[in-house]
Amino acid sequence: MGVKDGRSFHEMNYESGCDSCHDNGIRVRPSDDACEACHDVDDLAEATTREGEEALQNPHDNLHYGKETPCTECHGEHEAKAPLCSECHTFKFDAHKR
Amino acid sequence: MSNVDLLGRRKFITGLGIAGAAAATPFAMPALASSVSAEGVKWDKTIDIAIIGSGFAGLAAGIEAKRQGAKDVTIFEKMPVFGGNSAINGGLFAAPGTPMQQEKGVTDSVETMVADQMKSGRGIADEGLLRHVAEHAMEALQMTLDAGSVYHPYLQQLGGHSVPRTYQTTVSCGAGITQPLLKQCRKEGVETENRVKFAGFVLDKTGKVEGVKLIKGYYFGEEDSGKPYYVRTNRGVIMATGGFAQNVNLRMAQDPTLTAEVGCTNAKGATGEGMFEMFRLGAVPVHMAHIQSGPWASPDEGGFGYVSNYSIFNFPHSIAINRMTGQRFMNEIADRKTRADAELNCRDGNGDPLPPIMITSWEHAKQHPNAKKVLKYGVGWKFDTLEELAKHFDVPVKALKQQIEEYNGYVKAGVDKQFGKNMGKAKGKYIEAPYGVVRLWPKVHYCQGGVQITKKAEVLDSFSGAPIQGLYAAGEVTGGVHGISRLGSCSIPECMVMGMTAARSIMGA
């Protein structure tokens, strides 16, 4: 918690203060749509499109939850996270870092 | 189940890799909740109906409540995502007298479906509830079709069913139902809130449920997260919180063999707090020790995964082989309990688990959408010859060859002399090269136990025998419907029909 070792492209958020992400107060997790201030779910879904039989494995638009999986289920800013899918599936997301 | 060697399981799980690692995390008991008197409670919100849980039962209840004229209906979901265990289940839906049965010339009826379930229930299922569900199953199926669910153009005949009566979503998953129903809920004006945990009932002076205490901003697994949130309900509360298969302490209290090392197909949120709270309020616990393991699961992946549906589809025209003997060891389409128990008996010379294999002609296996996937994700294998197959799984090849010849004779004759399997669905489907193979090992899948309900989805009070006012329950959180062993594809109709029933009861329809 609170360790400033997030993503390099989030530097500007660190510079402009914790509350630029932590919209519910500093010691509380940000709301599920906090990331959407900068990131667009439709754009993300397009960027991670998968083809054919893998189409529904698009993490940003998937079989089980569509486009509604909260970002922090798979991504952590101050902690490393694994994709939610890996709880049941063995398929790979090579571009997923944390 | 009592002959399971836990130490053996422990050794076996260490070799499981990802699936075992996920299953071996012991689950902390959820923080205790408690019901309180409404006196002095400051309500944050007043609505008509609060629905706790967003699986099949909760979603169907939401849609039906709006259609019956309820004004403010909110579905509260504990987890960050909607759909509960329903969103990751197999999407298999049994109903009698459906259009597809008519089209395929299948003769079926409410009575036949109930009779099949009574048999699997081994004499202690609730015939009245089963009949109520079967009578309204088509109505529930129609609700999904109207919402946009799409099903395979064929019927399946699952273990214990006397006729093919099971529809399955084209995505082979319950999400093919929960996603359209969730959209439909919102379209009809049902509010949905995630990360809101149920924490107890609020009662008026007469003991009627007047509302609920919730925890808003709850993060699963962080029991101190979130803030209290009191919601008053003008009409009532529908508990649709699902089973407790993920609550290791509770399931072991009922059945000590179901340790943390036994896998589980369920969503993480299936921990049972809602059910506990109803017991505290006076609900009657029914059949808590009857916890079902799925005999079609694979030890090579987590949860329900890809293999489960692949196996369910292929069992009728496949053989299950004990790797020690090279022989079949069960009727591949017996009910779930019969098969799970038979698989648990497949052990090596030291008595350690030796997951049996299911062998299918690839020609038939490939008809299932998951066939390619099980190969691709390393949870299934394809072999051109029996020798290669036997070598890979260390099976005595001579015995296996003999067994396959013998079984193919049963396919030809239409009669299984070994285990009395119904060979109707195996007609003309010989076991021939190339072969598709998966490994089998049961996973905890479904809790037959829960709170006692009436055919109106009312929850009965253990002291008075009368319904607890303002409280309704539907789906896996209820108990006694299916008896000892639920038949596959009978949960979705039950959840949806009882969810709809709860909404109708609340609205006086």
Side-chain angles (χ1 to χ4, degrees), chain B residues 29 34 45 48 51 61-62 89 99 130 164 176 181 213 233 238 244 249 254 307 313 335 361 381 384 402 410 480 495:
Chain B
M29 282 291 273
S34 61
K45 193 171 165 181
D48 271 359
I51 298 168
N89 97 332
L130 288 175
L181 289 186
K213 179 188 176 185
T233 49
I238 300 175
F244 57 89
N249 290 341
Q254 317 302 324
V307 173
F313 174 88
D335 71 48
S361 288
W381 296 264
D384 289 329
Q402 222 172 349
Y410 302 149
C495 288

Side-chain angles (χ1 to χ4, degrees), chain B residues 32-44 198-215 228-233 237 276-278 280-282 468-469:
Chain B
L32 292 183
S34 61
S35 296
V36 295
S37 154
E39 217 166 320
V41 164
K42 264 190 66 197
W43 299 106
D44 292 291
F198 170 80
F201 298 104
V202 184
L203 311 175
D204 75 3
K205 283 194 182 73
T206 66
K208 173 176 176 267
V209 173
E210 196 180 338
V212 284
K213 179 188 176 185
L214 305 164
I215 305 291
Y229 174 44
Y230 289 91
V231 174
R232 191 159 172 264
T233 49
V237 177
F276 280 138
E277 208 48 53
M278 287 192 274
R280 279 201 193 91
L281 197 61
I468 298 170
Q469 294 302 296

Side-chain angles (χ1 to χ4, degrees), chain B residues 93-164:
Chain B
F93 196 133
T98 57
M100 195 140 56
Q101 283 185 324
Q102 215 162 10
E103 181 195 319
K104 313 268 181 205
V106 176
T107 310
D108 195 13
S109 67
V110 168
E111 285 311 315
T112 312
M113 178 160 157
V114 171
D116 288 348
Q117 294 181 85
M118 288 302 289
K119 191 175 164 200
S120 178
R122 290 163 170 75
I124 61 165
D126 188 317
E127 196 166 352
L129 279 167
L130 288 175
R131 182 167 290 112
H132 175 77
V133 170
E135 280 168 353
H136 296 274
M138 186 56 227
E139 220 177 309
L141 184 65
Q142 195 59 51
M143 181 189 268
T144 70
L145 291 164
D146 294 344
S149 292
V150 188
Y151 295 89
H152 287 309
Y154 51 80
L155 286 170
Q156 292 176 63
Q157 184 175 351
L158 270 52
H161 289 268
S162 59
V163 296

